[in-house]
Amino acid sequence: MHPFNILTTLTIYTVFATPLAKCCPVAPPDCVLEVETSSGVLNGFINASAPSVRQFLGVPFALPPTGTRRWQPPSKLESDKPINATNIGPACPQQPLSATPTLYVYAPSGGNRTEFFPLENFSEDCLTLNVWTPEAPSKPLPVFVWYFGGGFVQGGTNSLYFNPQSWVQRTQQHIVVTVNFRSNIFGFPNANGLTDQNLGLLDQRLALEWVRDNIANFGGDPLKIVTWGESAGAIAADYLNFAYLEDPIISGIILESSTALFPPKLCQSFDKAYANFSAVAIAFGCATALSPVDCLKNVTWQDIQDSMVKLNLTSSFLPTADERLVFSNYAQRYEIGAYSSAPAIIGSNQHEANALIPPILGVTLNETHADEYTNATFLCTAAIASQLRETTGRTTYRYRYDGNFPNISPPDFPGAYHAAELPLIFGTAGDYHGASTTYEDSVSRSMQDMWLEFAKDPLNGLRNAGWCLYADGKAVLIGGTEAPFQEIDILQLDSVCNMSRLRIM
């Protein structure tokens, strides 16, 4: 395997540092903190933690989905008014992590503090995005558009780990955009009478269109946009890859720990009778209204969220197959090549399921059983997706993440658990529970640089850096004990998957 061109220094930055005065250390036009966009004139900032990174946070890309716009597709926002873009916006309505005792909690130091899920600041006016861009780009830069995970029921861009300022500061060669979108009943209502049920996906698509239309003003290249998601965020990115195959906008796609082939029983709703939405409507006396949907628009989102908790429906509102945005048979769509030609990175983590066992239940981790679940759901669906992509001539790179770093791993979840790679890519691994090791920093820089090589040239960037194609029968292990990146034969990775017999789609 060719040596990777990895930088050898890294500075750890505080994620939510106090903005400096709105001025640049160099004179315009080399640094511009006032940027015109279709949403308005953004006033961004530079902070001391990342002195060469311009930040534009909490940028609205749609009209607030409130009042009559609740449960409607997002409406494009067009304005020339000034916007103070200095704070990441609140997450969309969801059950707070502190009220979710059965959800795994990433908190090595104890308590219910987590860095993967949103700070408990929620609002229905939540359709915002955030842009981190170098101070003075010398040429149009590639762009990552990040979709967070959370099972389509939770998540937000104000999660502490999802701040890429140290990564952008280090490379000065790319832009990162993180996107908020509606989830649970507000994003995927599955309500009788609605034309559009997959509103969260439409939010993501509109945000992607906003990036295409505006990113050049930040120094970005609208022809080099890579969608990047993890878990449900990866499923969503892949769903969009199928839904908009003629106009995908993207030049590449990174799918971490899920693809559109992830078992539908775990990520889609099959409530064809609209029973879940009807149960909420009954709770507020709206079931007999001429339009239960319109009736519920008069109920606060907080009351609706509380009713979902009481009815035990907090995980019940998921994407539904409408054969337009979400399809019922993705294996078939893969086989006929009904998806974009964008190259892809596809991978999973060695011990995904370790993080999916709630410690509060006192369940003892059985690594053998956990890994069987990991392989069947995460690894083998990635294997099948890669195989089907190859049969239709799509460029694909495969990996497995094996990193095991105590400063980000809860004591009960050893190894590369679900989402464990994200702090290393964003550059926030050492920010909350102790400094990273030298090797951990090396893995972090390696992943950042390889993701960047892909964004620069999705077709050949990784191959030129020494990461062979899936079509060559190769994959890489990331963060293992031998080296940050280690090439292996694909059969070593996928031997546990019986491609001909696996039937979990």
Side-chain angles (χ1 to χ4, degrees):
M1 197 170 185
H2 300 299
F4 293 103
N5 181 21
I6 304 299
L7 298 180
T8 58
T9 59
L10 179 69
T11 302
I12 302 299
Y13 297 96
T14 302
V15 170
F16 293 115
T18 303
L20 296 176
K22 293 182 184 177
C23 59
C24 294
V26 293
D30 295 321
C31 177
V32 178
L33 290 179
E34 185 176 277
V35 176
E36 293 186 6
T37 72
S38 56
S39 296
V41 181
L42 308 185
N43 293 293
F45 68 95
I46 291 175
N47 68 27
S49 298
S52 298
V53 178
R54 293 177 294 150
Q55 305 189 39
F56 301 86
L57 311 180
V59 179
F61 63 85
L63 293 171
T66 56
T68 59
R69 286 190 292 271
R70 181 189 285 174
W71 293 313
Q72 292 296 311
S75 299
K76 185 177 181 179
L77 171 63
E78 295 191 26
S79 173
D80 57 4
K81 295 181 179 179
I83 296 174
N84 182 29
T86 57
N87 290 288
I88 293 177
C92 294
Q94 59 193 266
Q95 185 176 7
L97 189 67
S98 60
T100 315
T102 59
L103 185 69
Y104 55 87
V105 177
Y106 302 91
S109 60
N112 60 19
R113 183 168 180 255
T114 177
E115 283 71 54
F116 286 90
F117 285 89
L119 302 175
E120 296 195 359
N121 176 23
F122 308 115
S123 172
E124 200 169 5
D125 182 1
C126 60
L127 296 186
T128 60
L129 53 78
N130 313 286
V131 182
W132 288 265
T133 182
E135 177 184 4
S138 59
K139 60 181 180 180
L141 300 178
V143 184
F144 292 94
V145 177
W146 164 250
Y147 299 144
F148 53 78
F152 294 110
V153 296
Q154 289 180 298
T157 61
N158 64 354
S159 302
L160 295 175
Y161 272 143
F162 302 160
N163 187 309
Q165 65 175 12
S166 67
W167 182 16
V168 177
Q169 171 71 26
R170 185 175 73 84
T171 73
Q172 295 291 295
Q173 297 179 49
H174 70 291
I175 295 172
V176 177
V177 179
T178 64
V179 176
N180 261 350
F181 48 90
R182 286 172 286 180
S183 59
N184 58 71
I185 193 173
F186 300 99
F188 304 96
N190 193 28
N192 191 19
L194 286 180
T195 301
D196 294 289
Q197 306 286 2
N198 297 303
L199 304 173
L201 298 178
L202 293 175
D203 295 343
Q204 293 170 321
R205 171 66 184 192
L206 185 60
L208 190 59
E209 293 173 359
W210 188 97
V211 173
R212 175 197 62 198
D213 297 341
N214 293 282
I215 204 63
N217 293 347
F218 298 87
D221 187 342
L223 299 180
K224 291 186 177 180
I225 297 174
V226 170
T227 46
W228 165 37
E230 185 269 343
S231 194
I235 296 173
D238 213 12
Y239 282 171
L240 295 177
N241 195 38
F242 283 86
Y244 296 94
L245 68 163
E246 300 296 337
D247 179 27
I249 297 177
I250 63 174
S251 58
I253 184 170
I254 301 175
L255 304 176
E256 299 179 22
S257 300
S258 284
T259 71
L261 283 182
F262 197 76
K265 62 184 179 181
L266 300 177
C267 63
Q268 289 186 21
S269 172
F270 295 90
D271 177 20
K272 298 185 184 301
Y274 311 110
N276 294 328
F277 192 91
S278 295
V280 176
I282 291 171
F284 294 99
C286 289
T288 58
L290 183 63
S291 171
V293 170
D294 288 341
C295 179
L296 279 177
K297 288 180 180 179
N298 297 312
V299 180
T300 68
W301 71 260
Q302 293 93 337
D303 286 342
I304 291 174
Q305 185 66 46
D306 288 344
S307 75
M308 290 166 58
V309 174
K310 294 175 183 177
L311 294 167
N312 195 28
L313 293 174
T314 55
S315 299
S316 300
F317 294 93
L318 302 170
T320 58
D322 57 8
E323 309 305 332
R324 180 170 59 92
L325 288 172
V326 179
F327 294 93
S328 56
N329 190 333
Y330 278 100
Q332 182 183 67
R333 306 297 292 181
Y334 268 116
E335 288 169 355
I336 65 175
Y339 59 103
S340 88
S341 60
I345 295 175
I346 298 178
S348 59
N349 294 357
Q350 184 179 23
H351 302 297
E352 299 267 8
N354 285 14
L356 304 178
I357 299 174
I360 197 167
L361 298 182
V363 177
T364 301
L365 176 66
N366 182 314
E367 192 66 70
T368 299
H369 292 165
D371 286 348
E372 287 175 353
Y373 180 86
T374 291
N375 293 338
T377 52
F378 294 96
L379 174 66
C380 294
T381 51
I384 295 171
S386 301
Q387 184 182 73
L388 292 173
R389 285 179 59 87
E390 187 202 353
T391 62
T392 51
R394 268 57 164 193
T395 298
T396 306
Y397 298 90
R398 274 289 301 286
Y399 77 88
R400 190 182 74 194
Y401 176 75
D402 290 3
N404 181 14
F405 303 113
N407 69 318
I408 59 171
S409 297
D412 295 331
F413 305 148
Y417 58 92
H418 190 60
E421 82 284 6
L422 295 179
L424 279 76
I425 302 174
F426 276 93
T428 52
D431 287 353
Y432 300 104
H433 301 290
S436 297
T437 65
T438 300
Y439 179 65
E440 186 178 1
D441 286 343
S442 177
V443 174
S444 173
R445 292 190 297 268
S446 297
M447 294 190 77
Q448 290 178 344
D449 290 348
M450 297 310 284
W451 267 223
L452 179 54
E453 289 301 318
F454 178 77
K456 290 178 180 178
D457 180 359
L459 193 62
N460 296 307
L462 289 179
R463 183 161 37 180
N464 293 338
W467 184 338
C468 293
L469 290 168
Y470 174 84
D472 297 327
K474 302 295 181 181
V476 297
L477 299 181
I478 303 174
T481 57
E482 295 186 18
F485 274 72
Q486 178 188 353
E487 183 181 275
I488 61 171
D489 290 334
I490 195 65
L491 291 178
Q492 293 178 253
L493 185 60
D494 295 341
S495 60
V496 297
C497 305
N498 187 324
M499 301 298 192
S500 63
R501 295 182 181 178
L502 197 61
R503 292 291 182 269
I504 61 176
M505 285 87 75

